[in-house]
Amino acid sequence: MAVLGIEGGIFGSALEEFNRAATVLGLERGIWNILSHPKRQITVSCPVLMDSGEIQVFTGYRVQYNLALGPAKGGIRYHPGVTLDEVTALAAWMTWKCALANIPFGGGKGGVTCDPTRLSRRELEALTRRYVAEIIDAIGPEKDIPAPDVNTNEQVMAWVMDTYSMHVGHTTTGIVTGKPLELGGSLGRREATGRGVMIVTREALKHLGRDLAHATVAVQGFGNVGSISAELIAREGATIVAVVDWKGGVHNAAGLDIPKLVEYVRVNPEHTVAGFPGGDPITNDEFWALDVDVLIPAALENQITVDNVGLIRARLVVEGANGPTTPDANKLLHDRNVLVIPDILANGGGVTVSYFEWVQDRHGYFWSEREVNERLEAKMCEAFEATLRTALQYRVDMRTAAYMVAINRVATVTRMRGMYA
Ligand code: GLU
C-alpha cells in the first residue's frame, strides 16, 4: 500500500518524531506497531456543479489515526497541496495533541485538494456538503468530530453541521466544533489556538528566565493562528517586530500595530500583510534571520528546514502551525540550544476549546468566556509542565518529551483495552 507514506513524506517525518520518543520510552514492539499505523484512511471523490455549468471532481480525505482514547478529532483543510500523506501526518499529530492535552479524543484529520480562493461561496458550500455526504458514515459526535483548519472557518462548520443534521433527521450540534456561536459554538473557540500559543510562549520564556512583556517576536503566517497569537502576545506587552505571509512581509523594529495590521489584511483584496504602511517590506530570509527572542511559525508544514535553519537567531521557537520544522532542522536547533515548543503542545489550545465546545453541546448548557479561558489556561499549563518535567527528567528536547507523555497515555489505554479478536 502506497498510502502509508512511511518512506519520506510528511507522515514519514511524523513517524520519525514518534520513533525517537518511543525509543526513549522503551515502548514494546506490538504497541509500537499499532501506534505507527493509521486506523482508517478514507478517500472520496466529490463532484461539484461549478458556476460555469461544468462538473468538477475534487478529491477529499478523512483519516482516523487512532481511536483508543475516544472519537477522532481534527480539522478539515482546504488547500491545493492536500494529499493523503499530509492528512495522515496531521491525523497522527492530532492523536498526540489530544493525548498531551489530556482530553478524551483520538486523532483525525480531513482535507480536500482544492484552491478555495478560486471557488465562489456557492461552490464552496456545494463542495463542503458533498464532501460531508461522502464521509457521513464515518463521522458523528461519538465517532469523529471535524473542526476548522487551514482555509476553513465557522461558516464551513455551519454547513458541515447542517449537512450531517439533514442526513440524520435532527439538529446535531456536537458533530463539529468551531461553529458560529448561534449554532452551538463556544465563546473563546476562535481565539483558542492563538491564546494557547500566547500561554506557552509566556511559560517557555519564564523557564528561560525571561518575561513576555519585554520580548521581541516575529510571526510567520497571519491566518487564524498567526494573527490572534500576535494580537494576544502584543496585548501582554511584547513587541511584534515582523509578520510574513504567502505574499510578502512587513517589519518594524519599534513594533507593528497588530490591530491595524489585522484591519489592513481584512480589507485588502489579497488578504495579505504585504504592503502594510506601518512597516517596511521584509524578505523570507531576512525574516528567519531576525534577531528576536521568539519566532512563531504559524503557517504550513516544512517551513524551517536544513536550508534556512542556519539563519535563525531566536532563542525560542513556538510552533503555532502543525509540522513547521523538519526533523533534521529540529535536531540542529536542539544542538544549538534553541528551545522549540512543539506543535502538539503549542497549538493544542484550539482542540482543547473544541473539546469544551463538544461538552457544552452535549450538555446544552453554555459557559462564559471567562470560564472557557480559565479552563484553557489550566489545561495549557498542565501540558506544558508535564512536557517540561519529562524533558528535564529524561534529558530530551521538548518535542520528544511531549511525544513521550502523549504516547504513554495512548499506550496505557491500548494495553488496558487489550486486543479484539
Ligand atoms: N485544526 C486544529 C488543529 O490542528 C483544531 C482541531 C480541532 O479543534 O479539532 O489542532
Side-chain angles (χ1 to χ4, degrees):
M1 274 199 307
V3 288
L4 292 181
I6 287 179
E7 300 298 329
I10 305 177
F11 182 51
S13 299
L15 278 181
E16 250 184 76
E17 294 165 348
F18 168 84
N19 288 342
R20 193 174 334 115
T23 306
V24 184
L25 270 178
L27 194 67
E28 64 269 37
R29 187 183 281 266
I31 303 281
W32 189 317
N33 224 339
I34 295 172
L35 300 187
S36 37
H37 287 78
K39 179 177 176 65
R40 193 171 286 140
Q41 294 174 304
I42 302 165
T43 303
V44 293
S45 298
C46 309
V48 173
L49 182 61
M50 306 300 281
D51 294 344
S52 64
E54 275 174 50
I55 291 172
Q56 209 169 310
V57 180
F58 296 89
T59 304
Y61 307 99
R62 186 76 191 170
V63 176
Q64 297 170 349
Y65 191 83
N66 187 284
L67 305 178
L69 284 171
K73 188 81 194 79
I76 298 171
R77 169 174 298 204
Y78 289 170
H79 195 271
V82 165
T83 60
L84 183 57
D85 172 61
E86 181 195 46
V87 177
T88 304
L90 289 161
W93 285 325
M94 286 308 304
T95 303
W96 313 127
K97 197 185 298 185
C98 292
L100 180 61
N102 220 355
I103 57 181
F105 288 141
K109 200 79 170 198
V112 177
T113 316
C114 66
D115 182 353
T117 63
R118 288 162 166 268
L119 298 176
S120 69
R121 185 184 159 92
R122 192 205 62 79
E123 290 167 343
L124 197 66
E125 177 174 352
L127 173 59
T128 301
R129 289 188 183 279
R130 185 61 189 244
Y131 168 68
V132 173
E134 294 294 343
I135 61 167
I136 205 130
D137 291 337
I139 61 172
E142 309 284 344
K143 289 161 112 177
D144 183 350
I145 305 127
D149 197 75
V150 173
N151 292 328
T152 57
N153 56 19
E154 292 175 7
Q155 177 58 73
V156 173
M157 298 309 115
W159 292 325
V160 171
M161 188 275 232
D162 184 68
T163 306
Y164 183 85
S165 298
M166 288 296 144
H167 274 254
V168 296
H170 53 90
T171 294
T172 310
T173 52
I175 171 60
V176 66
T177 59
K179 299 179 295 295
L181 272 183
E182 298 82 346
L183 291 180
S186 175
L187 287 163
R189 173 62 186 86
R190 194 185 302 157
E191 299 80 16
T193 312
R195 183 171 295 280
V197 168
M198 181 274 286
I199 294 167
V200 295
T201 305
R202 188 192 65 208
E203 294 303 304
L205 284 170
K206 221 185 276 173
H207 169 66
L208 295 173
R210 298 288 312 272
D211 179 8
L212 180 57
H214 300 108
T216 52
V217 181
V219 181
Q220 185 208 29
F222 211 62
N224 173 274
V225 182
S227 67
I228 294 171
S229 301
E231 224 168 339
L232 296 179
I233 285 170
R235 225 180 272 169
E236 294 296 307
T239 310
I240 311 288
V241 298
V243 176
V244 292
D245 65 18
W246 60 281
K247 193 81 203 298
V250 58
H251 174 253
N252 185 339
L256 294 162
D257 184 329
I258 299 299
K260 277 200 182 133
L261 183 58
V262 168
E263 186 52 20
Y264 174 81
V265 171
R266 194 181 67 80
V267 298
N268 82 62
E270 301 217 74
H271 302 299
T272 170
V273 301
F276 177 59
D280 301 314
I282 186 171
T283 66
N284 269 334
D285 279 356
E286 287 165 346
F287 171 83
W288 295 116
L290 282 171
D291 189 11
V292 286
D293 299 311
V294 189
L295 264 182
I296 303 183
L300 293 169
E301 304 90 46
N302 293 344
Q303 299 301 301
I304 302 178
T305 67
V306 285
D307 296 329
N308 62 7
V309 69
L311 300 172
I312 291 177
R313 291 155 81 190
R315 175 71 185 83
L316 173 64
V317 173
V318 179
E319 296 185 335
N322 291 312
T325 313
T326 64
D328 290 346
N330 184 66
K331 188 175 178 315
L332 291 169
L333 288 172
H334 183 59
D335 292 346
R336 280 176 34 205
N337 210 20
V338 177
L339 183 62
V340 179
I341 306 301
D343 45 10
I344 60 169
L345 171 60
N347 70 36
V351 75
T352 299
V353 177
S354 275
Y355 165 56
F356 297 161
E357 179 174 334
W358 179 77
V359 168
Q360 291 170 79
D361 287 339
R362 283 156 64 102
H363 284 188
Y365 180 77
F366 291 85
W367 310 349
S368 69
E369 189 163 3
R370 192 162 147 215
E371 280 174 282
V372 171
N373 288 345
E374 281 175 5
R375 286 176 167 146
L376 173 63
E377 167 86 28
K379 280 279 194 199
M380 293 302 301
C381 289
E382 267 169 41
F384 183 87
E385 278 156 28
T387 305
L388 185 60
R389 219 175 20 247
T390 306
L392 296 174
Q393 187 184 340
Y394 289 85
R395 295 171 187 272
V396 293
D397 62 283
M398 289 288 275
R399 189 185 314 277
T400 306
Y403 268 82
M404 286 169 70
V405 174
I407 293 169
N408 198 28
R409 287 184 180 148
V410 179
T412 302
V413 298
T414 307
R415 282 183 213 109
M416 276 179 187
R417 290 177 61 156
M419 294 293 292
Y420 177 72

